[in-house]
Amino acid sequence: YITEELKDYEDKVLHAEERMGRLEETLFLEIRDAVAARTDQLQEAAAAIAEIDVLQSLAQRAKVTGWSRPLVDGSGILKIVEGRHPVLAEARGAVPFVPNDVDMDDARRLMLITGPNMAGKSTYIRQVALISILAQIGSFVPAKSAAVGIIDRVFTRVGANDDLARGSSTFMVEMLEVANILNNASAKSLVILDEVVRGTSTWDGMSLAWAITEHLARHIKAKTLFATHYHELTALAQSCPGVENFNVLVREWGEEIIFLHKIAPGSADKSYGIHVA
């Protein structure tokens, strides 16, 4: 049997989902239209919130970790005293991070950095680049003090990756990136190179590394930090203006090696690759 009340209830149940869908669509369209009518205001608010978020994040890091206010001017100086990596210095926990200095200008423009594997060469050149970028954007920096001349661009050749889908080996990708640096860097640029041209034969690689280093120092004159195991390149400091040798200090204790993670003037004579392996 059926009653009018049951019939009404059946209709509500069977058509509830359909009505719910129509109501959701109607409400969604109303909200969409309301949002579209205020797009400019919403985008302005979003931009303001994003800017506040960035600034307060940088301010919080500066206060908590003791960053300092850098001097940014039109000079060719890049001088950092007791610089630290903004991420690794905090990630090491109880293990103290060893700070390092950098002192470059238009006359001292290329640091050729040799030293053991795992000693900290890569960390050092990256922290210099990160501190430079932080200074350029108006942030305090992880250093006791810093003076950074205006940099137009930061170029990097770090790591190893291929692009086989496009027919490029690891070495070819590296050469394309180096070519981009050599074609586009200026005297106002900062270049960091990490173990460039290790992916070919020793003599080919050394010839390329020598030519790249000399071209950067003599012709482009960009401030460059080049971490390398080609110890032969250290001879460039004697013949190429602007090139200076630095190395990461290490101490041998019996059959062990102790990494001091400290950058000092001079060149290293071995890389301790077998020890690390």
Side-chain angles (χ1 to χ4, degrees):
Y1 68 92
I2 190 74
T3 67
E4 194 63 32
E5 186 179 4
L6 283 173
K7 186 66 179 173
D8 292 342
Y9 187 72
E10 177 188 46
D11 183 65
K12 289 179 182 178
V13 171
L14 293 178
H15 297 91
E17 188 171 348
E18 180 184 347
R19 287 195 298 271
M20 182 174 67
R22 287 200 303 267
L23 180 58
E24 279 188 3
E25 182 180 11
T26 300
L27 293 172
F28 171 75
L29 293 176
E30 289 177 1
I31 293 171
R32 186 190 65 180
D33 292 341
V35 169
R38 294 169 174 79
T39 300
D40 292 342
Q41 294 169 281
L42 289 168
Q43 289 180 337
E44 289 176 6
I49 292 169
E51 185 173 352
I52 292 169
D53 181 43
V54 170
L55 294 176
Q56 72 85 23
S57 295
L58 291 174
Q60 190 265 355
R61 283 290 84 196
K63 183 176 181 179
V64 171
T65 59
W67 291 5
S68 63
R69 180 181 180 180
L71 170 65
V72 182
D73 57 22
S75 69
I77 293 174
L78 177 56
K79 185 172 184 177
I80 300 169
V81 178
E82 294 186 13
R84 308 184 301 278
H85 193 290
V87 176
L88 297 182
E90 305 306 317
R92 290 175 63 86
V95 181
F97 185 90
V98 179
N100 274 294
D101 301 342
V102 60
D103 190 0
M104 305 176 76
D105 54 31
D106 292 335
R108 299 186 301 272
R109 55 183 173 269
L110 194 147
M111 293 178 64
L112 199 60
I113 307 164
T114 51
N117 290 289
M118 296 294 295
K121 299 190 299 298
S122 297
T123 298
Y124 175 69
I125 65 174
R126 293 178 193 189
Q127 81 184 34
V128 171
L130 288 169
I131 288 172
S132 299
I133 292 170
L134 285 168
Q136 300 295 307
I137 67 173
S139 170
F140 280 33
V141 298
K144 184 176 181 180
S145 65
V148 181
I150 294 173
I151 296 169
D152 58 9
R153 282 169 294 184
V154 176
F155 292 93
T156 68
R157 166 81 282 274
V158 173
N161 61 284
D162 57 44
D163 192 357
L164 298 182
R166 298 185 180 180
S168 296
S169 66
T170 302
F171 183 67
M172 186 59 179
V173 169
E174 182 179 43
M175 290 299 93
L176 289 170
E177 292 185 3
V178 171
N180 177 60
I181 293 171
L182 297 181
N183 284 318
N184 293 292
S186 74
K188 287 288 188 180
S189 300
L190 175 64
V191 178
I192 62 170
L193 303 173
D194 195 359
E195 305 296 353
V196 170
V197 295
R198 300 296 298 183
T200 186
S201 66
T202 300
W203 294 111
D204 283 357
M206 193 186 306
S207 298
L208 286 164
W210 188 290
I212 291 164
T213 305
E214 195 163 16
H215 188 74
L216 282 165
R218 288 186 184 276
H219 301 290
I220 298 176
K221 299 182 179 180
K223 289 182 180 57
T224 304
L225 289 85
F226 187 178
T228 183
H229 285 297
Y230 286 128
H231 299 128
E232 294 81 358
L233 296 182
T234 57
L236 272 168
Q238 306 302 319
S239 60
C240 188
V243 177
E244 293 192 11
N245 290 322
F246 290 83
N247 73 111
V248 190
L249 299 180
V250 62
R251 292 289 180 267
E252 297 187 41
W253 185 268
E255 295 184 356
E256 296 183 5
I257 55 173
I258 301 171
F259 299 129
L260 302 181
H261 305 296
K262 198 69 179 175
I263 303 293
S267 59
D269 57 358
K270 52 185 174 180
S271 298
Y272 296 92
I274 294 175
H275 292 74
V276 173

